Amino acid sequence: MSRLTDTSLAGLPAAIRRPAYDRAAVGIGIVHIGPGAFHRAHQASYIDSVLEQGGDWALSVISLNSRDIADALTPQQGLYTLATLGEKAEYRVIGAIREVLHAPTSRAAVMARLANPATRIVTCTVTEKGYCLNGAGLLDADHPAIRADLASPQAPTSLIGWLVEGLRLRHADGLPPFTVVSCDNLSDNGRKLGRALVDFTDRLDPALARWIEAEGAFPCTMVDSITPATDEALKARVAEALGVADAAPVQREPFTQWVVEDRFCNGRPAFESVGVQMTSDVAAFERAKLRLLNGPHSSLAYLGLLLGLESVADAVGHPLLSRFVERLMREDIAPTVPAPDGFDLDVYISAILARFANPGIRHLLSQIAWDGSQKLPVRLLGTIADALAQGRAVDALCLPVAGWLHFLRQRAQPGQPKLVDPLAERLLTIAAGTKGEAGSDVAAFLALDAVFPPALAADARFRHALESAYAALAPGDAEAVARALAG
């Protein structure tokens, strides 16, 4: 079967949406770092719509580590298929990517692109761990990648290092900085990234740091669309629908949301014209999403895995788990979420539950369970802290946290799949030393202040609720888990 390329576009079936602009005529104005499935299913589709309205806002995408995306997209001239999965699947070929670079093997090209006057925005999706922050949300100067980049700043490997070197080159050439837009599920993402960049630069060149601080822009964002990992089944469905092979298709649900703080320093496209919500306050949207979507998502993952389930659809189809998560959202999480103006939390919760039940999406719980040490502090622990401050019980909120602890204990057993988490070694060491006794096991985990804020870990109400939840859950005993969910 032939490959998806520019020359194959004209022969695609009429039902397949394709770029409605001359790809060869549009210039690159946005660099994206971390072109994984979420970026290509989310931000890149918005940029594709922007390009239909004109302007030089095409994408150069940069992989900092793996070259898999570069190897898949380069022969396809950056083209790939977005499958939108609802009751029926719809397919769209995205043409927004005009250049694909693998940073370790194309260092000069990456430097040139970041320093190019036409580059006005740099976006990034590198997951929470890619920002090299500590538990307080500040630059972790002891992170191995940060230490290496501080020692050799003109040969960067981390996101922070690459961005600072790109900004240094622009400053040296008398160019304005690019706007840096974080698109990861990280609370207050723009400000944290901006602080990390300035902190890093201060250690090398304080004058450059002051320029970045004064002239740069780091808008906060909130992103939302359930995006399962690409698998061979998706590739087969796309090949059947298009009649050509696509080595890098992506899939997502029909719902998509991108909320962006309207604070740019070097121009921007008319994002609002393609459905991006431009606002002066992202925090309210961000909190609603992190707590009411991502928190329940992680809850379904860890508790569902203890029940022997595989996907979100399986978890939502489990009556006890489904009822528990809905109660958690409406009774325990919603009271900690101030609603943005005109935002109905009950309607939002109902919409999320319907999204979880989407029959077209098979989102593996094991994928959602990745990087728990980075996710739980913003998805559940902040909610627990606020509930305690409000004087409310946190017993239900502690069940998914306890589920994560049992998940770690399982992964520490011989023959288990690899734990995907930046703190994997520390977590598995703690988990391997546990004995199945709630008091001592929970105390061992709570001592990890990179995950559990010391003030929360020291709160007797939280510790007692977490110990009770931990004792109630029994890995391998679905009946015990079901009893805990039933309350």
Side-chain angles (χ1 to χ4, degrees):
M1 182 178 285
S2 61
R3 192 84 169 259
L4 176 64
T5 62
D6 279 323
T7 56
S8 66
L9 286 176
L12 298 181
I16 306 300
R17 183 176 170 184
R18 65 210 77 189
Y21 51 90
D22 182 358
R23 296 185 74 227
V26 298
I28 292 172
I30 302 174
V31 168
H32 182 82
I33 299 175
F38 185 80
H39 165 70
R40 289 180 289 121
H42 189 271
Q43 297 96 26
S45 69
Y46 283 100
I47 301 303
D48 202 54
S49 298
V50 162
L51 292 173
E52 291 178 348
Q53 301 180 5
D56 292 325
W57 295 108
L59 287 159
S60 169
V61 299
I62 299 171
S63 297
L64 296 185
N65 298 302
S66 170
R67 62 173 302 123
D68 292 350
I69 296 299
D71 289 344
L73 287 180
T74 299
Q76 299 180 180
Q77 288 129 11
L79 293 171
Y80 64 93
T81 309
L82 168 60
T84 304
L85 306 179
E87 292 186 5
K88 66 175 184 176
E90 297 180 355
Y91 301 94
R92 173 184 180 181
V93 175
I94 302 295
I97 295 175
R98 299 291 290 121
E99 180 179 69
V100 185
L101 300 173
H102 176 237
T105 56
S106 305
R107 302 187 70 85
V110 172
M111 295 292 190
R113 180 56 63 191
L114 291 172
N116 193 309
T119 298
R120 301 166 73 180
I121 298 171
V122 176
T123 57
C124 48
T125 48
V126 294
T127 75
E128 295 94 328
K129 61 188 175 185
Y131 293 83
C132 302
L133 306 179
N134 59 24
L138 303 174
L139 180 71
D140 182 0
D142 291 326
H143 191 287
I146 297 300
R147 288 205 309 268
D149 286 355
L150 286 170
S152 302
Q154 294 182 27
T157 60
S158 71
L159 170 71
I160 302 296
W162 276 106
L163 290 172
V164 169
E165 180 60 10
L167 289 166
R168 185 191 70 80
L169 292 171
R170 296 178 75 89
H171 183 251
D173 289 343
L175 296 173
F178 40 66
T179 299
V180 184
V181 185
S182 167
C183 301
D184 281 295
N185 282 322
L186 183 69
S187 178
D188 205 26
N189 51 15
R191 284 166 182 76
K192 286 180 179 175
L193 178 54
R195 282 196 300 269
L197 290 172
V198 170
D199 186 358
F200 181 96
T201 311
D202 243 335
R203 298 164 189 264
L204 298 170
D205 183 344
L208 178 62
R210 301 291 77 76
W211 177 76
I212 293 173
E213 201 169 30
E215 303 295 330
F218 311 95
C220 292
T221 70
M222 189 276 282
V223 296
D224 187 8
S225 193
I226 296 172
T227 307
T230 296
D231 55 17
E232 292 304 315
L234 174 65
K235 293 179 181 179
R237 291 200 305 273
V238 167
E240 182 179 2
L242 271 63
V244 295
D246 182 351
V250 291
Q251 56 187 336
R252 66 163 168 80
E253 62 175 330
F255 178 91
T256 181
Q257 185 179 29
W258 192 9
V259 182
V260 180
E261 183 182 12
D262 199 357
R263 189 163 62 93
F264 288 69
C265 64
N266 197 4
R268 67 168 178 83
F271 283 128
E272 59 270 42
S273 68
V274 296
V276 180
Q277 293 173 263
M278 306 302 296
T279 181
S280 60
D281 181 15
V282 172
F285 292 94
E286 176 188 82
R287 174 172 290 208
K289 189 256 182 173
L290 284 170
R291 295 195 174 188
L292 286 169
L293 174 75
N294 296 130
H297 226 191
S298 290
S299 301
L300 288 170
Y302 296 121
L303 295 171
L305 288 169
L306 291 180
L307 288 165
L309 306 175
E310 292 187 355
S311 72
V312 172
D314 295 337
V316 173
H318 189 285
L320 286 175
L321 181 53
S322 179
R323 284 197 293 271
F324 169 79
V325 167
E326 181 169 2
R327 288 198 313 272
L328 191 75
M329 295 168 74
R330 296 191 188 279
E331 298 175 11
D332 296 282
I333 301 176
T336 74
V337 180
D341 290 342
F343 195 91
D344 189 317
L345 289 180
D346 284 334
V347 171
Y348 185 60
I349 290 169
S350 295
I352 289 170
L353 292 168
R355 292 167 62 193
F356 286 164
N358 181 351
I361 291 285
R362 181 168 173 75
H363 201 175
L364 295 178
L365 300 178
S366 57
Q367 179 192 359
I368 301 166
W370 292 350
D371 300 331
S373 70
Q374 311 298 296
K375 293 174 178 176
L376 289 191
V378 295
R379 295 184 177 196
L380 286 168
L381 299 185
T383 303
I384 290 171
D386 284 352
L388 290 170
Q390 295 169 0
R392 294 189 297 104
V394 295
D395 302 80
L397 287 164
C398 283
L399 270 176
V401 179
W404 178 56
L405 302 185
H406 280 297
F407 167 78
L408 295 175
R409 292 192 70 216
Q410 287 183 317
R411 284 293 193 268
Q413 299 303 310
Q416 286 290 311
K418 177 183 177 182
L419 177 65
V420 180
D421 195 291
L423 300 182
E425 184 176 352
R426 296 169 68 185
L427 292 169
L428 292 175
T429 298
I430 295 171
T434 57
K435 306 295 185 184
E437 197 280 320
S440 60
D441 288 3
V442 167
F445 283 114
L446 289 183
L448 186 60
D449 60 9
V451 177
F452 295 98
L456 180 62
D459 192 304
R461 297 167 297 170
F462 170 59
R463 185 180 290 263
H464 176 72
L466 185 57
E467 289 175 356
S468 296
Y470 186 89
L473 299 176
D477 186 346
E479 290 186 4
V481 177
R483 286 195 299 271
L485 295 174

